[in-house]
Amino acid sequence: MDSRGFDSAGRVFSSATEMWAEELGSSATASTTAEAASPATATEGSGGASEEGAGDGKRKEWYSKAIAYWQGVEASTEGVLGGYGCVNDVDVKGSDAFLRPLLADRFGTAKRHLVALDCGSGIGRVTKNFLLRHFNEVDLVEPVSHFLEAARESLTGYMDQGEDSHKAANFYCVPLQDFTPEEGKYDVIWIQWCIGQLPDDDFISFFNRAKVGLKPDGFFVLKENIARNGFVLDKEDNSVTRSDPYFRELFKRCGLYILSVKDQKELPEELFAVKMYALVTSQPKIQKSGKRRRPKNSPRMIRS
Ligand SMILES: C[S@@+](CC[C@H](N)C(=O)[O-])C[C@H]1O[C@@H](n2cnc3c(N)ncnc32)[C@H](O)[C@@H]1O
């Protein structure tokens, strides 16, 4: 990525490449296809897929600083939303409006057993308030153990229920850079407000591994803060807020296509804008008009 960006201390970088070289050293250019540990073997806050190469110390530092930051945060909605617990309701409303037509379009309206994965789930806020309304089973993956424990506690009522119910099933204490989902398990992989913790190469490796976890019509939803230009590096929690063109470039490099994209409305104006991207692994079908196929249940004008 060639656009300029800056960090929270006001330092300007001429490109993301320069910033990553600074933050990760020589491992910034390391292979993006390194082997990842399975959920069962990874440990809390472990250091990343490319850890064994040269310069891995800086990558390890990148991740451990982030984990240390989150370990010091209270396991509450206010905590995981950086003091903006007030956005929970509009966030849930926006996610619901985005996902509902996509589910109908991809999976039809007939009863189906739907399974989702909540990535960087924190205390299970997204799972509890939103995903469990749409999915029969939700797995959570989160590297910070006190968040995951809080999720487990608050979702107790949703566990071990009958076949047809909605339950939180598995809780994996693993960072995304080390996580590989079970093959063909998920209809939707939901990634919200956590992908900024991953440098570009681990972002690409993660999506490439996670593709395998999707069912044939399955898709990803990435819901993230968007920088106006280039990127913004937050030195406190070691996360990067990327611009829309930056994300689109990364999607291309992951071999992902945008099925749908929408802005989150009604956020306080001092916050970053937020976008929701639905991403698929093969090019969405285009109608003769050149438009993407419209979800069957979306509003349409009546023509007589
Ligand atoms: C802003 S909170 C969002 C939590 C949740 N997605 C939500 O919307 O309520 C960011 C979350 O990312 C998690 N996180 C930090 N580093 C991560 C990593 N490398 N992989 C996955 N999640 C990570 C944090 O522990 C925290 O739970």
Side-chain angles (χ1 to χ4, degrees):
M1 275 300 302
D2 295 330
S3 305
R4 281 154 56 91
F6 57 91
D7 70 17
S8 47
R11 173 168 173 190
V12 177
F13 296 91
S14 61
S15 67
T17 312
E18 183 197 348
M19 183 272 289
W20 289 124
E22 175 100 359
E23 291 299 319
L24 304 179
S26 56
S27 83
T29 50
S31 160
T32 57
T33 54
E35 281 290 302
S38 73
T41 55
T43 54
E44 180 177 5
S46 63
S50 317
E51 216 177 299
E52 279 158 29
D56 59 309
K58 286 201 96 173
R59 185 177 298 264
K60 205 169 171 187
E61 236 174 71
W62 166 270
Y63 283 122
S64 51
K65 187 172 168 192
I67 293 299
Y69 170 84
W70 288 109
Q71 278 168 335
V73 170
E74 186 186 86
S76 65
T77 301
E78 282 297 325
V80 293
L81 295 184
Y84 278 90
C86 58
V87 307
N88 178 67
D89 290 357
V90 286
D91 166 51
V92 168
K93 201 169 120 198
S95 298
D96 205 75
F98 183 63
L99 185 67
R100 207 174 274 280
L102 292 170
L103 288 181
D105 188 44
R106 301 286 285 184
F107 308 128
T109 45
K111 213 163 174 213
R112 224 187 110 159
H113 188 89
L114 294 177
V115 183
L117 175 68
D118 181 0
C119 294
S121 66
I123 58 165
R125 183 189 68 85
V126 174
T127 293
K128 186 170 184 177
N129 297 331
F130 163 62
L131 291 173
L132 280 169
R133 280 197 218 148
H134 297 279
F135 298 90
N136 302 88
E137 256 179 79
V138 181
D139 290 345
L140 293 85
V141 52
E142 161 62 43
V144 173
S145 58
H146 81 286
F147 285 167
L148 202 62
E149 275 320 303
R152 208 190 287 272
E153 260 171 49
S154 92
L155 293 164
T156 326
Y158 299 88
M159 287 185 274
D160 293 329
Q161 301 185 358
E163 259 300 283
D164 241 8
S165 58
H166 295 248
K167 65 175 181 181
N170 297 296
F171 296 75
Y172 301 117
C173 194
V174 190
L176 290 187
Q177 68 274 16
D178 290 344
F179 184 75
T180 304
E182 206 179 293
E183 201 175 321
K185 180 166 187 188
Y186 299 107
D187 296 284
V188 171
I189 297 183
W190 191 274
I191 306 142
Q192 178 164 357
W193 282 329
C194 62
I195 205 70
Q197 308 282 168
L198 270 59
D200 294 354
D201 51 1
D202 282 342
F203 177 116
I204 294 167
S205 304
F206 165 70
F207 274 101
N208 279 327
R209 293 192 311 276
K211 279 178 193 173
V212 176
L214 290 173
K215 288 184 189 167
D217 281 332
F219 58 97
F220 295 102
V221 176
L222 181 71
K223 184 165 186 175
E224 231 356 292
N225 292 338
I226 302 293
R228 233 177 259 154
N229 300 299
F231 59 90
V232 180
L233 165 65
D234 186 330
K235 298 289 281 179
E236 197 185 6
D237 66 359
N238 267 3
S239 68
V240 167
T241 301
R242 297 166 167 105
S243 64
D244 179 57
Y246 195 149
F247 274 120
R248 286 173 189 257
E249 173 63 29
L250 287 178
F251 299 153
K252 237 188 252 169
R253 287 165 63 185
C254 295
L256 292 171
Y257 301 87
I258 297 178
L259 176 67
S260 177
V261 56
K262 203 170 174 184
D263 293 324
Q264 170 68 48
K265 302 256 160 50
E266 298 171 55
L267 290 173
E269 58 182 34
E270 69 271 25
L271 296 184
F272 279 115
V274 169
K275 280 188 188 295
M276 294 168 274
Y277 301 94
L279 302 166
V280 287
T281 55
S282 52
Q283 191 137 34
K285 291 196 179 76
I286 308 277
Q287 287 179 323
K288 279 192 187 137
S289 64
K291 287 186 183 155
R292 295 254 157 76
R293 202 156 61 86
R294 180 195 284 270
K296 290 179 194 98
N297 62 346
S298 69
R300 233 175 273 200
M301 277 172 64
I302 300 169
R303 293 178 201 277
S304 51

